[in-house]
Amino acid sequence: MNIGDKVYLKAVGNMARGRKELLIKESEITRIGRKYFEVQLGTKPIKFNIESCKQENVGYSADWKLYFSIQEIIDEQEFEKLERDIKSKFDSFGKLDMTLDQLRRINKIINE
C-alpha cells in the first residue's frame, strides 16, 4: 500500500439504501499512518484501518467499503447473486422445482 495507489469505494449501509444501482467511486490513498490510511472522496478524507481495511470513525455503520480492484467488487456481486439464487431454491416450503438429475448433481457437488 502506497500513497497514490488507486482504490475503489462501494457505498454500503445508509449510503447504499434506496439505490437501485451500485454506487462505486474511484479514489486514491492520500495519507498512510501507523494504524490508519486515508482516501480522499470529494473534499473530505475517509479513514480506514490498515489491517482490516474497514472504515473508521463512523457511527452505527460504515458508508463505504474499500476494494483494491474493480474485479473484487464484480466477484463479490456475483458471489452474492449465486448465493441468493441457491438459497432461494432450498429455503422454501413445499416441493422443490427441480428434477431428480439436478438434485443428484447438486448432492454430488456438495458432498465432494
Side-chain angles (χ1 to χ4, degrees):
M1 180 179 319
N2 297 306
I3 292 176
D5 285 355
K6 280 191 181 182
V7 293
Y8 300 88
L9 301 169
K10 180 178 88 169
V12 294
N14 288 334
M15 187 63 80
R17 184 168 291 137
R19 296 183 188 273
K20 293 183 181 183
E21 294 183 13
L22 286 176
L23 175 60
I24 300 170
K25 300 276 187 176
E26 183 179 309
S27 189
E28 60 183 42
I29 297 172
T30 55
R31 293 176 72 190
I32 300 176
R34 288 184 304 111
K35 293 183 179 183
Y36 308 104
F37 65 95
E38 287 184 357
V39 172
Q40 194 72 27
L41 188 63
T43 58
K44 86 177 203 185
I46 300 173
K47 193 182 276 192
F48 291 89
N49 182 292
I50 285 181
E51 291 181 15
S52 67
C53 292
K54 291 189 178 183
Q55 187 176 355
E56 292 291 325
N57 299 333
V58 293
Y60 181 69
S61 67
D63 290 329
W64 300 99
K65 189 171 177 185
L66 183 114
Y67 299 87
F68 291 99
S69 74
I70 200 81
Q71 188 62 45
E72 288 180 68
I73 298 171
I74 293 167
D75 290 346
E76 183 181 74
Q77 292 303 112
E78 182 181 3
F79 179 90
E80 289 173 359
K81 182 188 181 312
L82 290 171
E83 183 182 40
R84 263 192 321 273
D85 291 348
I86 290 169
K87 281 182 177 180
S88 73
K89 288 287 186 187
F90 295 102
D91 192 27
S92 62
F93 294 101
K95 188 173 166 95
L96 289 175
D97 186 25
M98 301 175 85
T99 66
L100 177 59
D101 184 53
Q102 288 173 323
L103 290 173
R104 284 178 178 154
R105 285 187 279 152
I106 291 169
N107 186 50
K108 183 179 176 185
I109 291 169
I110 291 171
N111 291 314
E112 285 183 349

